[in-house]
Each structure stands twice: as structure tokens, then as C-alpha cells.
Amino acid sequence: MHVLVTGGAGFIGSHSVDALIGTGARVRVLDNFSSGKRDNLPAESPQLEIVAGDIRDLATVERCTGGITHVLHLAAQVSVAASVSQPLNSASVNVAGFLNVLEASRKAGVQRLVYASSAAVYGAPRRLPLDEAAPTAPLSPYGLEKLINDQYAELYRDLYGQSNCGLRYFNVYGPRQDPHSPYSGVISIFAQRLRAGAPITINGDGQQTRDFIFVGDVARANVAALQCDTPGVVNIATGRSVTLLDLVGALATTTAKPPQVEHGPPRDGDIRYSAADNTRLVSDLRCCEFVPLERGLYALMADGGSC
Ligand code: UD2
């Protein structure tokens, strides 16, 4: 495979690049380094080429798809909050930029396109667990943009027979997730505060549930999705949800001192319970083993360790 990874210097992107290089693939990263970091990528690899550029520029994307067999499209405006405060900018990256990648991939005759969708397309679940046929009702421009991606991808399958697949990531955690960014997940925030010996704040009673998946598992799923021809959308989750209190308990086993826990008010618009049906991930992408939460947290707290 000769794979173009857009957003390859980011959190999920850089782990996917590592996994792809591990399979022997050649990789071309396209990243504008707005949130991605050069340091996330291997210092030197004959298999790796890095292009600094923006997916909003069609000519750049077209140049980058030259000679490419597979595309993993992860570049995005990933902040839900920023999608609310700056919807035009968000759509320019997440809709127009996505379309550039879709169209350039089609014109270049790329064999397979895999792109990042999101559990945000489901909004507040009406029934659990969420399978891919669950009703979609995004609560933010970000969620809507990802849903539009799914619809465009389906249209390109129908119109042009393009082989593509959208991955609906649930709560991804692991090394290289930036705890300071506005879209930081709760685990990266808690890990950073525990390392600093600072208290952690649980929003509400801590009984809310999430499906936390280790980034190494996500990278493996990305590679598996590139290597098969499964169409449509696939939930990327472990199939096991835990409460926030359970999460704190698991984190406590990785630290010498018990964490100081404070409770704040529930977060506005917070989803109470989330749980994923990952049957398609297991049966179609054949990803059936997931790093247990305790082990993933240990790797994270050991700073940058892998599982
Ligand atoms: C994800 C998105 C969020 C929004 C939501 C829609 C991320 C990081 N967050 O939120 O922007 O799209 O999905 O479904 O992608 N929490 C604490 N203390 C903290 C931080 C968080 O208690 O310091 C709680 C938070 O209130 C929530 C849980 O931890 O109940 C998980 O929060 P999250 O932001 O990691 O993920 P999620 O799924 O709520």
C-alpha cells in the first residue's frame, strides 16, 4: 500500500502512521500542523514522506493523491466548541476539505478511502447500545459535518462505485492526546492533573458512562479498514462502557497516591449514558481484541508507553 494519511501528525493520525509503517506500507502525511506535531511522527523513516499543507486547497490534495493506492483521511477541525463558535471555518475544513479529499481520491483512482466519522453523529442516544443503524441527531455543527461526510461517502459509492468506509470513533484516549486543547477528552485531562498532583473534577455524580477505546486499537482498526472493502460506517469502540467513577478508580491504581476527587456541576449538554454496539468492527474489520482500560491507562500514565 502507498497510503496518504491526512492529519497524520495528529493524535490518532500519528498512531495510525506508526501502525501502517509497521505493516511495511509507504506513507505520505499531509498535515497543516495547526494541532498536529512533527514530533508525533518518526524522526526518520525511508517509508515516510511529510507534506505541510491544507486540505482546503484542492491543488495540494490533488498533488498529494498522486501515486497513492489508499487514503486515510483524518485531518479535521476537531473541536466541538469551535464548531459552535466558528461554524463557517469548521465547515470549510470538515465539509469542503472532506469533499476535496473525496474528489481528489476519485480522480486519482485511489483503491480505497477510509475517513474519520464520529459518534457525535448520533447525538443523545434514544436507545442503547448504539449500532450503526441508530437514528442520527447531531447536537453540534461538528456532528452534522461528520454526518454530511457519511452521506457524501455513500453518494460516491453509489455514483462512482468508490470503495470507502467511515469510522465512527467513540471516546479515544492514549499517549499524545493534548490535555490542553479545547477538545481534550476527560482521560487526558485527568492524567495530566494526576501527574501534576492536582485534584480532578468530576462533572456531576460520576455515574455517566462512556466507551473508552485505546488509541492503539483505533490505529489497528484504521489499518484493518484500509485493508478490506467493507462499505458504510463502522463504530470504533470496545463494546464495554464504564462509569466515570469506575474510570477514576482504574486511574487510581496507576498512581502512588490516591487521587483527590472533587465534584462540580454537570456539564451543560452532557450526554448521560453512552454505549456502543461494535459488532461490525468485530465481524467486518475483524478487530476483536481491545486493550483493557486498566492497561491502557497504565501505558498512558507511564507516559507514552504502548500496549
Ligand atoms: C464528547 C466530546 C464533546 C461533545 C460530546 C457529544 C470530546 C473530548 N468531547 O464528549 O465535545 O462532542 O462528545 O456527545 O471529544 N468530564 C469530567 N471532568 C472533566 C472533563 C470531563 O467529569 O474534567 C466528564 C464530562 O462531563 C463527560 C465525561 O467526562 O461526562 C466524558 O467527557 P469527554 O469530553 O471526554 O467526552 P464526551 O463523550 O462527553
Side-chain angles (χ1 to χ4, degrees), residues 267-287:
R267 192 171 66 182
D268 272 352
D270 220 6
I271 284 168
R272 182 86 174 144
Y273 301 115
S274 175
D277 179 327
N278 69 351
T279 306
R280 284 205 81 192
L281 175 62
V282 173
S283 62
D284 293 14
L285 301 193
R286 305 203 180 281
C287 294

Side-chain angles (χ1 to χ4, degrees), residues 14-60:
S14 62
H15 286 279
S16 304
V17 169
D18 291 343
L20 283 165
I21 286 177
T23 69
R26 282 199 292 155
V27 176
R28 181 180 294 155
V29 165
L30 170 62
D31 203 299
N32 70 0
F33 295 98
S34 60
S35 58
K37 297 191 190 84
R38 176 66 186 83
D39 284 352
N40 284 343
L41 291 165
E44 238 166 81
S45 164
Q47 288 163 256
L48 176 65
E49 177 194 353
I50 301 171
V51 179
D54 202 296
I55 56 164
R56 282 171 289 190
D57 182 36
L58 180 60
T60 299

Side-chain angles (χ1 to χ4, degrees), residues 80 171 183-186 189-190 201-203 208 210 244 267 270-271:
V80 173
N171 292 69
Y183 55 88
S184 293
V186 63
I189 296 170
F190 283 1
T201 304
I202 293 180
N203 302 330
Q208 60 267 54
R210 296 290 184 275
L244 220 51
R267 192 171 66 182
D270 220 6
I271 284 168

Side-chain angles (χ1 to χ4, degrees), residues 52-130:
D54 202 296
I55 56 164
R56 282 171 289 190
D57 182 36
L58 180 60
T60 299
V61 181
E62 283 180 343
R63 242 189 343 268
C64 283
T65 47
I68 288 294
T69 59
H70 295 67
V71 172
L72 179 60
H73 172 55
L74 303 174
Q77 188 299 106
V78 286
S79 164
V80 173
S83 80
V84 176
S85 60
Q86 296 170 45
L88 296 182
N89 179 65
S90 192
S92 74
V93 180
N94 292 349
V95 180
F98 175 80
L99 196 51
N100 283 343
V101 173
L102 202 61
E103 187 59 2
S105 300
R106 180 185 73 80
K107 281 198 202 146
V110 162
Q111 291 169 33
R112 174 83 169 155
L113 167 71
V114 173
Y115 65 92
S117 183
S118 170
V121 302
Y122 297 117
R126 279 178 235 165
R127 56 180 165 80
L128 291 173
L130 289 161

